Structures are given as structure tokens and as C-alpha cells.
Amino acid sequence: MKSSLVNVVWFSEKRRNLLLLLKEGKRDIEQIKKSLNVTSRSIMPQIKTLKHYHLIVQEGDYYSLTGVGEIVVKNMLPFMENSRILEENREFWASRNIDAIPPHLFSNIRKLGHYFLIEPDINHLFELPREFIENIPKSKHVTTFVSYLHPAFPSLYSEASLSGVKISLLITKETLEKLEHEHYEDFRNMTEVDNIDIFLYQGNLKIPMVTVTDWFSYICLFNKEGRYDHRDIISFDESALSWCQDLFEHYMQNSKKFNPEKIAEPLIGISEMS
């Protein structure tokens, strides 16, 4: 019976569409035909099949989901929404290293919602994307964890912190070394304000950067060869903000707060934290 239900639902687009339509409420045959743009001849066999498997029921002129039908549709939707996310940019997702995303979060990848894939042209390949640069200063709170340090990143976050943006920054040991050694002034500026918290990740972070603010989220992933190819995702959906925040909290479990006193002078502090 379980196998038959799978076949009934997934082997017919018309049946899937009808089940999804009836999730919104009962419909008569004329409403079904209009909503799905079908004829009576094409949809009646599908209705008969769904009735046979007790997924829909007819009461008078109206069709509605049964209790079993409601359960089936409820479990259909996450799979379909996850599939939509991956299908929209199939090559991109197939080429990503997703090991850095814990399974319980990747299974909810649908929460990225209506996202945009940013693919810079060759002339801007090594620049921070305009969408990122423009949106950071507009945010009231910025949460970021980063292992790939773009040269423009320190000054952007230094300016944001000095302008009052609340920042939570999770970095790797290697990123900390680069900040201390190569961007000392910007890093010192960030540690001298009260509105930034810096955390050191105690492991190997296999993700270039994930940023979530009060109104947008930004995700960078390495490809399967372990390279960052500057193809990023941005989303403004509330569900994406929540998903990225959960990802940040996942990595926060293996981190500790950085003591800013350790950068009183350049080139020191790393050995003390090891």
C-alpha cells in the first residue's frame, strides 16, 4: 500500500496538482478545471484514482482531501519545496561542497525561499559583490562567520562597527592571524567598540562565509574542489534569515569568545589562544 501511494502521488503531475489545490479547500469540478486548466476528460480519471486510494472524498458536487490525503500533502510539500530550491540552479548545487551544512539544516534548504544566485563577471570576480557591500551598512545587526578573508572585508566591517552596527563575528584561527598581521588597524578599530563580539571557531570551518542581518542573508560555499569561485546566494526571505541564524548557532557551539586585549600589539596573541 505504501508503494502504491508513492506511485499514485508522484507518477502523475495532474494528481499532485489536484492534491495541492484541494489543500486550499474543497472545490467542485468546474473550479478544478479552471484552476488547473484541464478538461473533464483528462481530470476525471485522476479524481477516480485519488478516490480509490482514499486521498480525496466527494461530498455532493465538491471534492476535498481525506485525513490520509492531508497527511500525504503535508509531507509532499517539504520535498517539493526542497526540490524547487535545488532545481532552480541545479548545476550550482551539484558543484557545491555541502559537508559544512549539517544534515538537519540541509534537509530544510527550502527555507532559503526565493533566493538570488550572484555570479560576477570576469571584470569583478575578485571584488566583494555590490549586493553585499550595499546591504551591510543598511543593517542594524550583522552576524557573520568567515574563513575566507576578502581584502575589502576588514575595512567594510570596521566602518560598519564604527557607525554603530551591532556585529557578531565568528572567525577561524587562520582568519584571526590574517586580521592581526595584515589588517591590524581595521581589526583594532573593531575590537575597541562595544557593539562587536568576536568569537574564535575551534575547528576547520569548511565554508567561506555566511552572513545574516536583520533583513538579508548571504551564503558563500566552496565547490567540490575546495575552491571559492565567487558564486554566492542572497535571500531577503524571513525564513532564510532564520535558517542562516541556525547555521551560525550550530558553529557557535564549537567556539569561544575572543579577548581583544590580545591584539594590543601586532603579530601576537595566536599562540596564547592555541
Side-chain angles (χ1 to χ4, degrees):
M1 181 67 177
K2 182 178 180 180
S3 177
S4 296
L5 278 178
V6 170
N7 293 341
V8 166
V9 172
W10 295 111
F11 284 13
S12 169
E13 184 178 1
K14 285 189 176 69
R15 289 197 288 267
R16 289 200 304 275
N17 289 340
L18 178 54
L19 289 171
L20 292 172
L21 176 64
L22 295 182
K23 180 180 182 297
E24 300 173 3
K26 62 183 181 181
R27 299 286 193 277
D28 63 24
I29 189 62
E30 292 304 319
Q31 292 171 320
I32 291 172
K33 287 161 55 178
K34 183 177 181 180
S35 296
L36 301 182
N37 192 25
V38 294
T39 63
S40 295
R41 184 175 181 180
S42 66
I43 198 62
M44 288 308 299
Q46 313 309 328
I47 290 176
K48 182 178 179 181
T49 298
L50 292 174
K51 288 172 65 178
H52 175 75
Y53 283 90
H54 307 290
L55 296 177
I56 67 174
V57 64
Q58 182 178 3
E59 298 178 352
D61 294 331
Y62 289 89
Y63 299 91
S64 59
L65 293 176
T66 63
V68 173
E70 290 178 355
I71 293 173
V72 168
V73 174
K74 182 179 179 180
N75 287 277
M76 271 173 51
L77 287 174
F79 178 83
M80 294 180 67
E81 292 169 1
N82 282 340
S83 297
R84 177 190 64 80
I85 292 290
L86 302 176
E87 283 290 329
E88 283 182 357
N89 295 283
R90 185 186 305 177
E91 185 278 330
F92 169 79
W93 288 107
S95 65
R96 296 306 94 184
N97 180 355
I98 60 172
D99 291 343
I101 303 175
H104 74 279
L105 287 177
F106 193 75
S107 66
N108 287 322
I109 197 71
R110 62 187 179 277
K111 290 190 175 182
L112 290 181
H114 298 284
Y115 67 94
F116 302 93
L117 178 60
I118 298 173
E119 301 183 88
D121 60 55
I122 192 65
N123 295 319
H124 301 89
L125 187 61
F126 299 106
E127 300 176 6
L128 276 176
R130 174 182 56 81
E131 294 84 352
F132 186 82
I133 294 174
E134 291 180 353
N135 285 310
I136 288 295
K138 298 177 183 178
S139 304
K140 296 179 180 178
H141 184 273
V142 175
T143 299
T144 292
F145 60 89
V146 59
S147 64
Y148 170 84
L149 187 63
H150 190 283
F153 181 93
S155 61
L156 177 64
Y157 274 59
S158 174
E159 292 174 7
S161 65
L162 292 173
S163 67
V165 176
K166 175 66 177 176
I167 298 175
S168 297
L169 183 61
L170 175 57
I171 58 179
T172 62
K173 179 178 178 180
E174 292 74 19
T175 304
L176 176 60
E177 290 176 338
K178 281 184 172 293
L179 284 168
E180 286 191 309
H181 299 175
E182 301 174 17
H183 304 276
Y184 176 73
E185 292 300 326
D186 285 324
F187 193 42
R188 186 179 63 182
N189 288 339
M190 284 190 282
T191 61
E192 289 180 347
V193 294
D194 295 330
N195 52 300
I196 184 166
D197 292 317
I198 301 175
F199 303 89
L200 185 65
Y201 183 67
Q202 308 293 295
N204 181 23
L205 188 59
K206 299 179 180 179
I207 214 167
M209 181 173 69
V210 171
T211 291
V212 56
T213 78
D214 42 291
W215 73 299
F216 86 98
S217 58
Y218 202 89
I219 305 170
C220 313
L221 296 170
F222 290 119
N223 61 25
K224 288 187 174 179
E225 287 71 43
R227 296 194 301 269
Y228 174 45
D229 56 14
H230 304 272
R231 302 170 71 191
D232 306 326
I233 286 174
I234 188 171
S235 176
F236 296 90
D237 284 16
E238 287 288 339
S239 58
L241 307 189
S242 175
W243 188 89
C244 286
Q245 187 63 42
D246 287 344
L247 184 57
F248 180 85
E249 295 297 333
H250 170 77
Y251 282 105
M252 276 292 291
Q253 295 175 15
N254 191 27
S255 66
K256 66 178 181 179
K257 194 166 184 178
F258 173 69
N259 182 359
E261 293 180 1
K262 294 184 182 297
I263 66 160
E265 297 294 338
L267 310 181
I268 68 171
I270 300 299
S271 61
E272 296 179 33
M273 297 189 63
S274 301

